[in-house]
Amino acid sequence: MLAIRWGNWLLLPAVGLDDGEKTPQQASPSYGVGMADRLRGPGETMPPARGGRIWYKQSGVGTGTPVVLLHGGPGAGSFYLKPFEALGDDRLVVRYDQLGAGKSNRLADTTLMNIPRFVEELDSLRRTLEIDR
């Protein structure tokens, strides 16, 4: 890692993750189900989906309409959406990484990179969390 000293400051390049957070793939080159389980924090889960396991984090409380945060892509994870978890004062907030992005499993089968399969994945997540609207 390149670091630059500027006066009394040491400047380090941003790497896209905060608080030492690592994706399971960064933490271990032999990433598997066991590693995913060890790296989860509070409210984080990795259920199976067609093609691998997806990562999501639940936060928030209350009876307001739940919010599922969807990241851009393909391949961009949901970390930049973390500030929206502050909406959780009165509702469930779910931050989720599509298969092939962020903390979810990588896709080996590129034929699964299509809109209908990603919609299927999101619908499966909504059913699992019993979010109907």
Side-chain angles (χ1 to χ4, degrees), residues 47-91:
R50 186 163 58 101
R53 291 169 57 124
I54 60 170
W55 173 90
Y56 72 89
K57 178 182 178 186
Q58 295 183 79
S59 57
V61 295
T63 58
T65 302
V67 176
V68 178
L69 303 171
L70 299 174
H71 61 79
S78 68
F79 187 77
Y80 70 97
L81 297 172
K82 190 173 182 176
F84 287 99
E85 291 177 3
L87 297 171
D89 288 344
D90 60 354
R91 70 191 69 244

Side-chain angles (χ1 to χ4, degrees), residues 49 54 96-99 117-125:
I54 60 170
Y96 127 85
D97 289 334
Q98 289 178 329
L99 197 59
R117 202 214 56 80
F118 285 122
V119 170
E120 170 191 323
E121 182 180 286
L122 178 57
D123 285 342
S124 174
L125 177 63

